[in-house]
Amino acid sequence: MYSWMGQLFASSINEVVEVLDLNNMVKTSREEMKLTSWKNRTMPVLDPVSLLTIEETPITKQSKIVIIEAKNMKVGFLVEKIIGIEELKLEDMKEPNVSEKRFVKNTLGSYKIVDFGHFINADTLPLIKKALEINVSVVLNGEELLSQRWNEREAMLEELKLESLNFLIESNRRKIDDFYIDGMMRIHRMIEKM
């Protein structure tokens, strides 16, 4: 049992391989996809909240990664918190309502039984395959991720760009020496090209 968006969800214990802390999780430039290191290999981590809504799962101290085996693949899923393990009886389950049917197999009381296979589809499969080829330690050093720059590197470039713009604005107001302004303009153009 775990929660997403403050609601209770459950998965079959047969599908759950392991539950991990977020120690080695890396955010990517795609909100739906994160990465983590698991048994010395890169493991893709899907954020189902991002796949279903325009928000991301909020990261807290209680957040966990649930490694699931679905469609002959092992994939991590980000959850808000683990509630615990509970035995559910098949005869007590009922079909989900129309709005839940997309990714819910059955419901039992307040729990929704999730079909994780729903999230491994034509949209996410290319991301998962690409993520499996990436080395998390390389990503932690700020290299490219999923054909786009890593968020931290992008933020640093944006900060440099803003700094150079602010310098140009300030130097123009104070009529600082043309030599310095020209040099700063070259730096600014280089940053824009990056």
Side-chain angles (χ1 to χ4, degrees):
M1 308 290 183
Y2 46 88
S3 67
W4 282 326
M5 302 172 284
Q7 294 187 51
L8 300 175
F9 292 88
S11 297
S12 168
I13 198 77
N14 299 332
E15 294 177 327
V16 178
V17 178
E18 198 170 331
V19 176
L20 308 175
D21 285 321
L22 303 187
N23 299 341
N24 296 319
M25 193 183 80
V26 176
K27 290 183 100 179
T28 76
S29 50
R30 297 285 302 259
E31 290 180 353
E32 315 95 295
M33 176 68 72
K34 280 84 174 156
L35 297 175
T36 194
S37 180
W38 181 66
K39 296 189 177 179
N40 296 321
R41 65 179 188 177
T42 298
M43 175 64 59
V45 178
L46 292 175
D47 183 350
V49 172
S50 286
L51 291 165
L52 296 169
T53 69
I54 57 169
E55 297 176 26
E56 281 185 272
T57 298
I59 306 295
T60 66
K61 289 180 181 177
Q62 295 178 314
S63 300
K64 301 285 182 199
I65 298 167
V66 179
I67 305 292
I68 297 283
E69 187 159 6
K71 293 189 178 178
N72 296 320
M73 296 183 76
K74 288 185 179 76
V75 180
F77 286 89
L78 189 59
V79 300
E80 289 172 349
K81 67 179 178 178
I82 299 291
I83 310 296
I85 298 171
E86 191 173 319
E87 189 175 338
L88 306 177
K89 295 179 181 168
L90 285 172
E91 58 269 13
D92 294 337
M93 291 189 187
K94 63 178 184 176
E95 280 293 306
N97 64 37
V98 176
S99 64
E100 294 173 330
K101 274 200 183 226
R102 288 189 321 157
F103 68 99
V104 175
K105 287 182 192 174
N106 300 85
T107 57
L108 177 79
S110 58
Y111 295 115
K112 296 171 179 64
I113 315 301
V114 176
D115 177 8
F116 275 105
H118 166 83
F119 297 104
I120 303 171
N121 57 32
D123 294 330
T124 58
L125 203 52
L127 289 176
I128 291 167
K129 286 180 178 174
K130 181 94 175 173
L132 288 168
E133 298 168 5
I134 295 169
N135 184 339
V136 173
S137 62
V138 173
V139 175
L140 290 168
N141 291 328
E143 293 300 316
E144 281 195 355
L145 179 63
L146 298 176
S147 302
Q148 296 179 25
R149 290 187 189 97
W150 190 40
N151 282 345
E152 294 301 316
R153 187 183 226 185
E154 193 69 35
M156 185 180 70
L157 288 170
E158 199 60 37
E159 193 175 336
L160 274 170
K161 190 174 172 180
L162 285 172
E163 280 295 317
S164 65
L165 269 174
N166 285 333
F167 176 84
L168 287 170
I169 291 164
E170 192 62 31
S171 63
N172 199 27
R173 282 191 190 137
R174 295 186 180 187
K175 307 274 190 245
I176 295 176
D177 187 355
D178 289 343
F179 172 77
Y180 292 107
I181 295 173
D182 290 343
M184 202 62 199
M185 284 176 74
R186 278 195 303 278
I187 293 167
H188 181 72
R189 282 192 206 108
M190 285 168 62
I191 292 167
E192 281 188 315
K193 283 180 185 172
M194 283 197 292

